[in-house]
mmCIF file of all heavy atoms in Angstrom:
data_model
loop_
_atom_site.group_PDB
_atom_site.id
_atom_site.type_symbol
_atom_site.label_atom_id
_atom_site.label_comp_id
_atom_site.label_asym_id
_atom_site.label_seq_id
_atom_site.Cartn_x
_atom_site.Cartn_y
_atom_site.Cartn_z
ATOM 1 N N VAL A 1 17.296 -79.175 -37.362
ATOM 2 C CA VAL A 1 16.562 -80.268 -38.000
ATOM 3 C C VAL A 1 17.379 -80.864 -39.140
ATOM 4 O O VAL A 1 17.472 -82.089 -39.291
ATOM 5 C CB VAL A 1 15.199 -79.770 -38.519
ATOM 6 C CG1 VAL A 1 14.533 -80.836 -39.389
ATOM 7 C CG2 VAL A 1 14.295 -79.393 -37.355
ATOM 8 N N ALA A 2 18.001 -80.007 -39.947
ATOM 9 C CA ALA A 2 18.809 -80.489 -41.074
ATOM 10 C C ALA A 2 19.990 -81.319 -40.579
ATOM 11 O O ALA A 2 20.316 -82.363 -41.164
ATOM 12 C CB ALA A 2 19.287 -79.309 -41.908
ATOM 13 N N ARG A 3 20.651 -80.860 -39.513
ATOM 14 C CA ARG A 3 21.807 -81.588 -39.001
ATOM 15 C C ARG A 3 21.387 -82.937 -38.414
ATOM 16 O O ARG A 3 22.019 -83.961 -38.669
ATOM 17 C CB ARG A 3 22.513 -80.734 -37.935
ATOM 18 C CG ARG A 3 23.615 -81.439 -37.143
ATOM 19 C CD ARG A 3 24.557 -82.247 -37.982
ATOM 20 N NE ARG A 3 25.281 -81.462 -38.957
ATOM 21 C CZ ARG A 3 25.769 -81.952 -40.090
ATOM 22 N NH1 ARG A 3 25.577 -83.237 -40.380
ATOM 23 N NH2 ARG A 3 26.418 -81.185 -40.930
ATOM 24 N N VAL A 4 20.314 -82.953 -37.626
ATOM 25 C CA VAL A 4 19.843 -84.206 -37.039
ATOM 26 C C VAL A 4 19.431 -85.186 -38.140
ATOM 27 O O VAL A 4 19.749 -86.381 -38.080
ATOM 28 C CB VAL A 4 18.672 -83.950 -36.067
ATOM 29 C CG1 VAL A 4 18.016 -85.264 -35.647
ATOM 30 C CG2 VAL A 4 19.166 -83.192 -34.839
ATOM 31 N N ARG A 5 18.758 -84.680 -39.150
ATOM 32 C CA ARG A 5 18.338 -85.560 -40.247
ATOM 33 C C ARG A 5 19.549 -86.147 -40.974
ATOM 34 O O ARG A 5 19.561 -87.318 -41.356
ATOM 35 C CB ARG A 5 17.446 -84.798 -41.231
ATOM 36 C CG ARG A 5 16.712 -85.736 -42.197
ATOM 37 C CD ARG A 5 15.806 -84.962 -43.132
ATOM 38 N NE ARG A 5 14.756 -84.236 -42.429
ATOM 39 C CZ ARG A 5 13.660 -84.800 -41.935
ATOM 40 N NH1 ARG A 5 13.500 -86.112 -42.044
ATOM 41 N NH2 ARG A 5 12.747 -84.089 -41.332
ATOM 42 N N SER A 6 20.593 -85.351 -41.148
ATOM 43 C CA SER A 6 21.790 -85.860 -41.826
ATOM 44 C C SER A 6 22.460 -86.952 -40.996
ATOM 45 O O SER A 6 22.970 -87.937 -41.546
ATOM 46 C CB SER A 6 22.770 -84.723 -42.108
ATOM 47 O OG SER A 6 23.380 -84.265 -40.908
ATOM 48 N N TRP A 7 22.449 -86.800 -39.659
ATOM 49 C CA TRP A 7 23.000 -87.847 -38.797
ATOM 50 C C TRP A 7 22.175 -89.123 -38.905
ATOM 51 O O TRP A 7 22.716 -90.219 -38.987
ATOM 52 C CB TRP A 7 23.043 -87.365 -37.344
ATOM 53 C CG TRP A 7 24.167 -86.407 -37.059
ATOM 54 C CD1 TRP A 7 25.369 -86.327 -37.703
ATOM 55 C CD2 TRP A 7 24.207 -85.400 -36.034
ATOM 56 N NE1 TRP A 7 26.146 -85.335 -37.144
ATOM 57 C CE2 TRP A 7 25.469 -84.754 -36.118
ATOM 58 C CE3 TRP A 7 23.304 -84.986 -35.057
ATOM 59 C CZ2 TRP A 7 25.843 -83.719 -35.261
ATOM 60 C CZ3 TRP A 7 23.668 -83.954 -34.200
ATOM 61 C CH2 TRP A 7 24.925 -83.328 -34.303
ATOM 62 N N LEU A 8 20.849 -88.981 -38.918
ATOM 63 C CA LEU A 8 19.984 -90.145 -39.048
ATOM 64 C C LEU A 8 20.188 -90.831 -40.391
ATOM 65 O O LEU A 8 20.225 -92.064 -40.475
ATOM 66 C CB LEU A 8 18.515 -89.730 -38.878
ATOM 67 C CG LEU A 8 18.111 -89.205 -37.496
ATOM 68 C CD1 LEU A 8 16.692 -88.666 -37.528
ATOM 69 C CD2 LEU A 8 18.230 -90.306 -36.447
ATOM 70 N N ASP A 9 20.325 -90.040 -41.438
ATOM 71 C CA ASP A 9 20.521 -90.601 -42.780
ATOM 72 C C ASP A 9 21.842 -91.353 -42.896
ATOM 73 O O ASP A 9 21.994 -92.230 -43.753
ATOM 74 C CB ASP A 9 20.469 -89.495 -43.839
ATOM 75 C CG ASP A 9 19.073 -88.908 -44.010
ATOM 76 O OD1 ASP A 9 18.109 -89.557 -43.543
ATOM 77 O OD2 ASP A 9 18.947 -87.812 -44.582
ATOM 78 N N SER A 10 22.805 -91.017 -42.010
ATOM 79 C CA SER A 10 24.097 -91.707 -42.055
ATOM 80 C C SER A 10 24.066 -93.041 -41.318
ATOM 81 O O SER A 10 25.077 -93.745 -41.260
ATOM 82 C CB SER A 10 25.190 -90.813 -41.444
ATOM 83 O OG SER A 10 25.023 -90.691 -40.037
ATOM 84 N N GLY A 11 22.902 -93.399 -40.756
ATOM 85 C CA GLY A 11 22.759 -94.693 -40.104
ATOM 86 C C GLY A 11 22.766 -94.647 -38.591
ATOM 87 O O GLY A 11 22.679 -95.692 -37.934
ATOM 88 N N ILE A 12 22.858 -93.446 -37.996
ATOM 89 C CA ILE A 12 22.845 -93.324 -36.536
ATOM 90 C C ILE A 12 21.398 -93.380 -36.050
ATOM 91 O O ILE A 12 20.512 -92.744 -36.626
ATOM 92 C CB ILE A 12 23.514 -92.006 -36.103
ATOM 93 C CG1 ILE A 12 24.961 -91.958 -36.605
ATOM 94 C CG2 ILE A 12 23.471 -91.848 -34.592
ATOM 95 C CD1 ILE A 12 25.654 -90.631 -36.363
ATOM 96 N N SER A 13 21.153 -94.129 -35.000
ATOM 97 C CA SER A 13 19.791 -94.253 -34.484
ATOM 98 C C SER A 13 19.412 -93.008 -33.684
ATOM 99 O O SER A 13 20.285 -92.338 -33.108
ATOM 100 C CB SER A 13 19.667 -95.492 -33.605
ATOM 101 O OG SER A 13 20.489 -95.376 -32.457
ATOM 102 N N PRO A 14 18.112 -92.681 -33.612
ATOM 103 C CA PRO A 14 17.691 -91.456 -32.901
ATOM 104 C C PRO A 14 18.161 -91.410 -31.449
ATOM 105 O O PRO A 14 18.560 -90.350 -30.948
ATOM 106 C CB PRO A 14 16.162 -91.522 -32.989
ATOM 107 C CG PRO A 14 15.889 -92.327 -34.212
ATOM 108 C CD PRO A 14 16.978 -93.353 -34.263
ATOM 109 N N GLY A 15 18.123 -92.566 -30.749
ATOM 110 C CA GLY A 15 18.504 -92.578 -29.342
ATOM 111 C C GLY A 15 19.966 -92.298 -29.087
ATOM 112 O O GLY A 15 20.371 -92.072 -27.942
ATOM 113 N N GLU A 16 20.796 -92.313 -30.147
ATOM 114 C CA GLU A 16 22.222 -92.026 -30.002
ATOM 115 C C GLU A 16 22.538 -90.555 -30.235
ATOM 116 O O GLU A 16 23.698 -90.163 -30.214
ATOM 117 C CB GLU A 16 23.025 -92.873 -30.986
ATOM 118 C CG GLU A 16 22.951 -94.361 -30.722
ATOM 119 C CD GLU A 16 23.745 -95.160 -31.738
ATOM 120 O OE1 GLU A 16 23.451 -95.063 -32.946
ATOM 121 O OE2 GLU A 16 24.677 -95.872 -31.321
ATOM 122 N N LEU A 17 21.490 -89.756 -30.442
ATOM 123 C CA LEU A 17 21.663 -88.329 -30.708
ATOM 124 C C LEU A 17 21.163 -87.511 -29.526
ATOM 125 O O LEU A 17 20.134 -87.823 -28.922
ATOM 126 C CB LEU A 17 20.895 -87.918 -31.968
ATOM 127 C CG LEU A 17 21.259 -88.652 -33.260
ATOM 128 C CD1 LEU A 17 20.387 -88.154 -34.402
ATOM 129 C CD2 LEU A 17 22.727 -88.455 -33.591
ATOM 130 N N GLY A 18 21.895 -86.448 -29.194
ATOM 131 C CA GLY A 18 21.501 -85.568 -28.113
ATOM 132 C C GLY A 18 21.436 -84.126 -28.569
ATOM 133 O O GLY A 18 22.239 -83.697 -29.405
ATOM 134 N N VAL A 19 20.475 -83.395 -28.044
ATOM 135 C CA VAL A 19 20.352 -81.955 -28.303
ATOM 136 C C VAL A 19 20.320 -81.259 -26.947
ATOM 137 O O VAL A 19 19.504 -81.612 -26.083
ATOM 138 C CB VAL A 19 19.077 -81.618 -29.106
ATOM 139 C CG1 VAL A 19 18.948 -80.105 -29.276
ATOM 140 C CG2 VAL A 19 19.097 -82.306 -30.465
ATOM 141 N N SER A 20 21.202 -80.295 -26.748
ATOM 142 C CA SER A 20 21.321 -79.645 -25.448
ATOM 143 C C SER A 20 21.225 -78.135 -25.584
ATOM 144 O O SER A 20 21.703 -77.559 -26.567
ATOM 145 C CB SER A 20 22.659 -80.024 -24.795
ATOM 146 O OG SER A 20 22.749 -79.484 -23.492
ATOM 147 N N ALA A 21 20.609 -77.496 -24.585
ATOM 148 C CA ALA A 21 20.482 -76.040 -24.564
ATOM 149 C C ALA A 21 20.596 -75.552 -23.126
ATOM 150 O O ALA A 21 20.447 -76.330 -22.177
ATOM 151 C CB ALA A 21 19.150 -75.606 -25.170
ATOM 152 N N ARG A 22 20.839 -74.280 -22.957
ATOM 153 C CA ARG A 22 20.998 -73.700 -21.614
ATOM 154 C C ARG A 22 19.680 -73.675 -20.866
ATOM 155 O O ARG A 22 19.650 -73.870 -19.642
ATOM 156 C CB ARG A 22 21.569 -72.280 -21.742
ATOM 157 C CG ARG A 22 21.750 -71.523 -20.411
ATOM 158 C CD ARG A 22 22.816 -72.186 -19.568
ATOM 159 N NE ARG A 22 23.139 -71.424 -18.367
ATOM 160 C CZ ARG A 22 22.445 -71.469 -17.230
ATOM 161 N NH1 ARG A 22 21.366 -72.231 -17.143
ATOM 162 N NH2 ARG A 22 22.815 -70.766 -16.182
ATOM 163 N N PHE A 23 18.558 -73.473 -21.575
ATOM 164 C CA PHE A 23 17.271 -73.255 -20.922
ATOM 165 C C PHE A 23 16.233 -74.287 -21.360
ATOM 166 O O PHE A 23 16.265 -74.797 -22.487
ATOM 167 C CB PHE A 23 16.747 -71.853 -21.223
ATOM 168 C CG PHE A 23 17.721 -70.751 -20.939
ATOM 169 C CD1 PHE A 23 18.221 -69.970 -21.962
ATOM 170 C CD2 PHE A 23 18.137 -70.505 -19.640
ATOM 171 C CE1 PHE A 23 19.128 -68.960 -21.703
ATOM 172 C CE2 PHE A 23 19.048 -69.495 -19.367
ATOM 173 C CZ PHE A 23 19.546 -68.715 -20.404
ATOM 174 N N ASN A 24 15.278 -74.542 -20.473
ATOM 175 C CA ASN A 24 14.196 -75.478 -20.778
ATOM 176 C C ASN A 24 13.366 -75.024 -21.974
ATOM 177 O O ASN A 24 12.931 -75.846 -22.779
ATOM 178 C CB ASN A 24 13.282 -75.644 -19.555
ATOM 179 C CG ASN A 24 13.850 -76.608 -18.534
ATOM 180 O OD1 ASN A 24 14.142 -77.756 -18.848
ATOM 181 N ND2 ASN A 24 14.000 -76.142 -17.302
ATOM 182 N N LYS A 25 13.152 -73.719 -22.096
ATOM 183 C CA LYS A 25 12.315 -73.234 -23.188
ATOM 184 C C LYS A 25 12.931 -73.566 -24.545
ATOM 185 O O LYS A 25 12.212 -73.901 -25.493
ATOM 186 C CB LYS A 25 12.087 -71.726 -23.052
ATOM 187 C CG LYS A 25 13.349 -70.877 -23.163
ATOM 188 C CD LYS A 25 13.042 -69.387 -23.058
ATOM 189 C CE LYS A 25 14.312 -68.550 -23.219
ATOM 190 N NZ LYS A 25 14.027 -67.090 -23.122
ATOM 191 N N ASN A 26 14.248 -73.498 -24.656
ATOM 192 C CA ASN A 26 14.909 -73.857 -25.909
ATOM 193 C C ASN A 26 14.780 -75.358 -26.178
ATOM 194 O O ASN A 26 14.624 -75.780 -27.334
ATOM 195 C CB ASN A 26 16.381 -73.470 -25.875
ATOM 196 C CG ASN A 26 16.582 -71.975 -25.763
ATOM 197 O OD1 ASN A 26 16.565 -71.433 -24.653
ATOM 198 N ND2 ASN A 26 16.759 -71.286 -26.879
ATOM 199 N N CYS A 27 14.854 -76.152 -25.114
ATOM 200 C CA CYS A 27 14.688 -77.599 -25.268
ATOM 201 C C CYS A 27 13.284 -77.923 -25.774
ATOM 202 O O CYS A 27 13.115 -78.762 -26.668
ATOM 203 C CB CYS A 27 14.938 -78.300 -23.940
ATOM 204 S SG CYS A 27 16.647 -78.202 -23.346
ATOM 205 N N ASP A 28 12.280 -77.274 -25.205
ATOM 206 C CA ASP A 28 10.898 -77.520 -25.627
ATOM 207 C C ASP A 28 10.699 -77.147 -27.093
ATOM 208 O O ASP A 28 10.029 -77.871 -27.847
ATOM 209 C CB ASP A 28 9.932 -76.730 -24.750
ATOM 210 C CG ASP A 28 9.908 -77.238 -23.302
ATOM 211 O OD1 ASP A 28 10.269 -78.410 -23.088
ATOM 212 O OD2 ASP A 28 9.544 -76.453 -22.406
ATOM 213 N N LYS A 29 11.278 -76.034 -27.506
ATOM 214 C CA LYS A 29 11.156 -75.618 -28.909
ATOM 215 C C LYS A 29 11.849 -76.614 -29.837
ATOM 216 O O LYS A 29 11.358 -76.904 -30.935
ATOM 217 C CB LYS A 29 11.746 -74.218 -29.097
ATOM 218 C CG LYS A 29 10.940 -73.103 -28.442
ATOM 219 C CD LYS A 29 11.613 -71.748 -28.627
ATOM 220 C CE LYS A 29 10.819 -70.642 -27.942
ATOM 221 N NZ LYS A 29 11.475 -69.312 -28.074
ATOM 222 N N ALA A 30 12.985 -77.133 -29.391
ATOM 223 C CA ALA A 30 13.706 -78.106 -30.217
ATOM 224 C C ALA A 30 12.890 -79.380 -30.386
ATOM 225 O O ALA A 30 12.809 -79.938 -31.491
ATOM 226 C CB ALA A 30 15.062 -78.418 -29.585
ATOM 227 N N VAL A 31 12.270 -79.860 -29.293
ATOM 228 C CA VAL A 31 11.438 -81.062 -29.379
ATOM 229 C C VAL A 31 10.276 -80.833 -30.338
ATOM 230 O O VAL A 31 9.975 -81.680 -31.200
ATOM 231 C CB VAL A 31 10.916 -81.458 -27.984
ATOM 232 C CG1 VAL A 31 9.854 -82.545 -28.090
ATOM 233 C CG2 VAL A 31 12.057 -81.936 -27.103
ATOM 234 N N GLN A 32 9.616 -79.690 -30.205
ATOM 235 C CA GLN A 32 8.480 -79.388 -31.076
ATOM 236 C C GLN A 32 8.892 -79.342 -32.542
ATOM 237 O O GLN A 32 8.207 -79.900 -33.412
ATOM 238 C CB GLN A 32 7.849 -78.050 -30.662
ATOM 239 C CG GLN A 32 7.188 -78.079 -29.294
ATOM 240 C CD GLN A 32 6.769 -76.698 -28.821
ATOM 241 O OE1 GLN A 32 6.876 -75.710 -29.551
ATOM 242 N NE2 GLN A 32 6.305 -76.616 -27.583
ATOM 243 N N ARG A 33 10.017 -78.702 -32.829
ATOM 244 C CA ARG A 33 10.449 -78.565 -34.225
ATOM 245 C C ARG A 33 10.869 -79.913 -34.799
ATOM 246 O O ARG A 33 10.568 -80.221 -35.955
ATOM 247 C CB ARG A 33 11.595 -77.562 -34.316
ATOM 248 C CG ARG A 33 12.059 -77.268 -35.745
ATOM 249 C CD ARG A 33 10.922 -76.659 -36.587
ATOM 250 N NE ARG A 33 10.521 -75.382 -36.070
ATOM 251 C CZ ARG A 33 11.073 -74.220 -36.451
ATOM 252 N NH1 ARG A 33 12.031 -74.214 -37.361
ATOM 253 N NH2 ARG A 33 10.643 -73.100 -35.938
ATOM 254 N N LEU A 34 11.570 -80.727 -34.006
ATOM 255 C CA LEU A 34 11.989 -82.049 -34.481
ATOM 256 C C LEU A 34 10.782 -82.936 -34.752
ATOM 257 O O LEU A 34 10.703 -83.620 -35.788
ATOM 258 C CB LEU A 34 12.916 -82.712 -33.464
ATOM 259 C CG LEU A 34 14.316 -82.093 -33.332
ATOM 260 C CD1 LEU A 34 15.034 -82.671 -32.116
ATOM 261 C CD2 LEU A 34 15.144 -82.333 -34.588
ATOM 262 N N LYS A 35 9.811 -82.932 -33.833
ATOM 263 C CA LYS A 35 8.609 -83.749 -34.033
ATOM 264 C C LYS A 35 7.813 -83.277 -35.246
ATOM 265 O O LYS A 35 7.269 -84.098 -36.006
ATOM 266 C CB LYS A 35 7.735 -83.701 -32.782
ATOM 267 C CG LYS A 35 8.285 -84.507 -31.609
ATOM 268 C CD LYS A 35 7.323 -84.490 -30.441
ATOM 269 C CE LYS A 35 7.794 -85.411 -29.312
ATOM 270 N NZ LYS A 35 6.859 -85.393 -28.155
ATOM 271 N N ALA A 36 7.750 -81.957 -35.441
ATOM 272 C CA ALA A 36 7.032 -81.418 -36.601
ATOM 273 C C ALA A 36 7.673 -81.863 -37.905
ATOM 274 O O ALA A 36 6.998 -81.976 -38.934
ATOM 275 C CB ALA A 36 6.993 -79.889 -36.521
ATOM 276 N N ALA A 37 8.976 -82.141 -37.847
ATOM 277 C CA ALA A 37 9.697 -82.599 -39.038
ATOM 278 C C ALA A 37 9.663 -84.118 -39.168
ATOM 279 O O ALA A 37 10.329 -84.687 -40.045
ATOM 280 C CB ALA A 37 11.142 -82.114 -38.982
ATOM 281 N N GLY A 38 8.913 -84.781 -38.288
ATOM 282 C CA GLY A 38 8.801 -86.228 -38.362
ATOM 283 C C GLY A 38 9.939 -86.982 -37.694
ATOM 284 O O GLY A 38 10.120 -88.181 -37.926
ATOM 285 N N ILE A 39 10.705 -86.289 -36.849
ATOM 286 C CA ILE A 39 11.839 -86.904 -36.156
ATOM 287 C C ILE A 39 11.439 -87.152 -34.710
ATOM 288 O O ILE A 39 11.056 -86.218 -34.001
ATOM 289 C CB ILE A 39 13.079 -85.990 -36.206
ATOM 290 C CG1 ILE A 39 13.515 -85.772 -37.660
ATOM 291 C CG2 ILE A 39 14.222 -86.590 -35.393
ATOM 292 C CD1 ILE A 39 14.622 -84.745 -37.814
ATOM 293 N N PRO A 40 11.486 -88.397 -34.230
ATOM 294 C CA PRO A 40 11.116 -88.668 -32.830
ATOM 295 C C PRO A 40 12.067 -87.960 -31.869
ATOM 296 O O PRO A 40 13.283 -88.018 -32.027
ATOM 297 C CB PRO A 40 11.228 -90.190 -32.716
ATOM 298 C CG PRO A 40 12.183 -90.592 -33.799
ATOM 299 C CD PRO A 40 11.959 -89.609 -34.922
ATOM 300 N N ALA A 41 11.509 -87.280 -30.881
ATOM 301 C CA ALA A 41 12.321 -86.538 -29.912
ATOM 302 C C ALA A 41 11.670 -86.637 -28.549
ATOM 303 O O ALA A 41 10.442 -86.689 -28.431
ATOM 304 C CB ALA A 41 12.465 -85.074 -30.331
ATOM 305 N N SER A 42 12.500 -86.667 -27.499
ATOM 306 C CA SER A 42 12.005 -86.839 -26.141
ATOM 307 C C SER A 42 12.805 -85.977 -25.184
ATOM 308 O O SER A 42 14.024 -85.873 -25.300
ATOM 309 C CB SER A 42 12.105 -88.319 -25.742
ATOM 310 O OG SER A 42 11.732 -88.514 -24.390
ATOM 311 N N ARG A 43 12.104 -85.350 -24.220
ATOM 312 C CA ARG A 43 12.780 -84.554 -23.208
ATOM 313 C C ARG A 43 13.450 -85.465 -22.195
ATOM 314 O O ARG A 43 12.900 -86.464 -21.764
ATOM 315 C CB ARG A 43 11.795 -83.640 -22.480
ATOM 316 C CG ARG A 43 11.457 -82.341 -23.198
ATOM 317 C CD ARG A 43 12.665 -81.464 -23.463
ATOM 318 N NE ARG A 43 13.441 -81.188 -22.273
ATOM 319 C CZ ARG A 43 13.230 -80.151 -21.475
ATOM 320 N NH1 ARG A 43 12.257 -79.304 -21.729
ATOM 321 N NH2 ARG A 43 14.000 -79.953 -20.431
ATOM 322 N N LEU A 44 14.643 -85.097 -21.794
ATOM 323 C CA LEU A 44 15.420 -85.826 -20.794
ATOM 324 C C LEU A 44 15.163 -85.165 -19.456
ATOM 325 O O LEU A 44 15.576 -84.038 -19.215
ATOM 326 C CB LEU A 44 16.901 -85.763 -21.158
ATOM 327 C CG LEU A 44 17.877 -86.627 -20.377
ATOM 328 C CD1 LEU A 44 17.585 -88.097 -20.624
ATOM 329 C CD2 LEU A 44 19.305 -86.314 -20.803
ATOM 330 N N ARG A 45 14.463 -85.886 -18.561
ATOM 331 C CA ARG A 45 14.105 -85.293 -17.278
ATOM 332 C C ARG A 45 14.373 -86.277 -16.150
ATOM 333 O O ARG A 45 13.900 -87.410 -16.186
ATOM 334 C CB ARG A 45 12.626 -84.918 -17.253
ATOM 335 C CG ARG A 45 12.225 -83.837 -18.241
ATOM 336 C CD ARG A 45 10.757 -83.492 -18.088
ATOM 337 N NE ARG A 45 10.267 -82.566 -19.088
ATOM 338 C CZ ARG A 45 10.394 -81.246 -19.016
ATOM 339 N NH1 ARG A 45 11.008 -80.721 -17.987
ATOM 340 N NH2 ARG A 45 9.915 -80.467 -19.963
ATOM 341 N N GLY A 46 15.143 -85.845 -15.150
ATOM 342 C CA GLY A 46 15.388 -86.654 -13.972
ATOM 343 C C GLY A 46 15.941 -88.019 -14.298
ATOM 344 O O GLY A 46 16.654 -88.207 -15.275
ATOM 345 N N ASP A 47 15.572 -89.007 -13.454
ATOM 346 C CA ASP A 47 16.064 -90.358 -13.682
ATOM 347 C C ASP A 47 15.003 -91.236 -14.337
ATOM 348 O O ASP A 47 15.111 -92.456 -14.356
ATOM 349 C CB ASP A 47 16.538 -91.001 -12.373
ATOM 350 C CG ASP A 47 15.414 -91.130 -11.360
ATOM 351 O OD1 ASP A 47 14.346 -90.536 -11.593
ATOM 352 O OD2 ASP A 47 15.609 -91.824 -10.344
ATOM 353 N N VAL A 48 13.945 -90.590 -14.880
ATOM 354 C CA VAL A 48 12.927 -91.337 -15.611
ATOM 355 C C VAL A 48 13.447 -91.627 -17.005
ATOM 356 O O VAL A 48 13.820 -90.714 -17.744
ATOM 357 C CB VAL A 48 11.616 -90.529 -15.709
ATOM 358 C CG1 VAL A 48 10.571 -91.317 -16.479
ATOM 359 C CG2 VAL A 48 11.105 -90.178 -14.318
#
């Protein structure tokens, strides 16, 4: 959360940031933690 916030504060838009993990469960936890911190986050799934 601290690293993502620092990137956002430097002027980078949220859609230009990616968070990657080996497992889906880690991705879900990352989305939950980012949203809880007020940072918009979205799961990347398929071609949707």
